[in-house]
Amino acid sequence: MPRSQDAHASTVGILSPMTPPDAATTEISSSPQRGARQAAQRALHALDQFPGWLALAASGAVWLVLTAIILRRGFLEYNADGYARIIRGHEWLAAPRWELDVWLPLQTWLFGASLAIHDSLRTTPRVVDALLTIVLLINLYLIGRTIGGRLAGAIAAGLAALFPWVVWMGVSGMAEPLFHATLSFGALGLTRWLTTNRDRWLLVAAIGLLLATMVRYEGWFYAGTFAGVVLVVIWQQQRLTLRSVALAVAPLTFPFVWIVAWWNRTGDPLAFARETAEIKEALDAGNATAGLLRRLSIYPEETFRLAPLLIGLCLLAAGYALIRRVRWWPLPALILGQAAALVIVSAGFSNLGPGAERYLISNVILLFPVLAAIIATLPLPWPRLAGVGLVVIAGLIVGRTTLSPPTWYPDADTRATGDLLRSALADAPADHDLIPVLLPPEPSEGFNAGYALRILSDHPDNWFITSNADLFAALAGTTHPPVWIADTATGVALPAAERTETIGRFVIGWPAPAATVTLTPTSAAPGDAVAVTADGLLPHEPISAWWTPPDNGPAIGAGADAAADPNGHATLTATLPPDATPGIWHLTVAGRDSQRSGFASVEVAAR
């Protein structure tokens, strides 16, 4: 029927005397509704046809803009872990090795390799994590598109680009960008396998999850849950083969090797977990006495508090997907199953220390494609549009959080001190003497300033960070470092310096230039007199001299009293103690006005 005839027939049908009045009223009022519905369908169709590359470009642009804003607002690092991991990569590059530690090795290797290409500790790790974040955005788009179409892919990538813990950690030294990138490869491989039945995608999933197990321990729980989920699927589909079973359990390879290595070294296969629990208990004594309910609720509670609306929508979508048994149900099963396993197992180790909100962040991020797919595949246009609207609101809320990044680490005192040290050490040789730094004892937050000072100063090597006041004073007074740094919160007396500068709680000291000391003879017996010459002192300043025994015991006066001549040269005689023990004795000569000092050694033989 031609369009005009069809319209005419419809009009006749509506106004016909055979049509009951109530039915006519309903039909007339539904016409605007049909028009609105068609408009909604057209809008959704247009969104679903949005080019993938353009959606990814838009997400990337949002992420870049937010990143630029937080950097301008003073964001340097999420917490001390980021700088500590950068330092570990730098130290590994100096001496590549396999080592057992509470931290897993893959990020250390990656940072070390990247620093070999460009050795800036301030920029290279940030660039690496930024590139990994781009990989995450691409993978989330592909996961969403695989299970829900282009609209789902665009929503998933867009949410990640707005999410604070993607943006903040994307320009940090934290392990999360590498973990999320490898983990999302695993999730992408899983969803592609579920929708194509091709085992090569199961191989991609296994490799991604295997790499994730080498970055963070949360990956171990993903690996275990992945094995269980995949085995259930291939059993239900009667595809149980040796290859599929091997791929299902392959991500557990590294955890097995790691546990065996710890078992061989310590006799305790879970020593790394107990050591981590001890560190967290030291940070917060309440960890040891927390009840079971608190240990089970801490991770979900702290995570949910970060973005209640968005996380609530993600959980509803995951539950809906599991109840409806969508084809890709193993993805939400993997995510929620891992979360449950992590919470239950961690409760046994009382890991309630700082950073509890980070342990389920990966689960939230992987649920973005799940939420997006459920919304994009709802059967009616209005619920679908309402879902998109809710996601937009949730995204705007988390986006506002993103614009207020954490700037507490490094704190203002540490930042200013690092900037001053960068200028003070600009001309120092790379192999300069040790820089003594006195900080509060580990694991206090004050001790964590040491990582930031090494990076912010652009001189990461030859630092000696200690909480031992005597050792600090000895190094500052005898090794002639370019500078020394002391945190006044330690409450100890400061060593001598030619000049000092105070920045907040830190004092930076510039030791006086070293004096040159010569002893004659270089071997002697207890009680012998030794001729001493010293140069590099101030004209006419009085000097002091003292012996340091071989065991670094208390200093012993050398029995000499003299002053420098107009050229800063001094000669004196120093007498060894009559009961001097055999070994190498050091004589230190110091100017009382300039604090310039130097030392020389003499070997004392038994009489």
Side-chain angles (χ1 to χ4, degrees), residues 515-531:
T516 302
V517 178
T518 304
L519 301 183
T520 307
T522 55
S523 60
D528 283 356
V530 178

Side-chain angles (χ1 to χ4, degrees), residues 551-573:
D551 60 359
N552 290 320
I556 301 171
D561 211 0
D565 64 16
N567 298 316
H569 174 80
T571 60
L572 59 146
T573 301

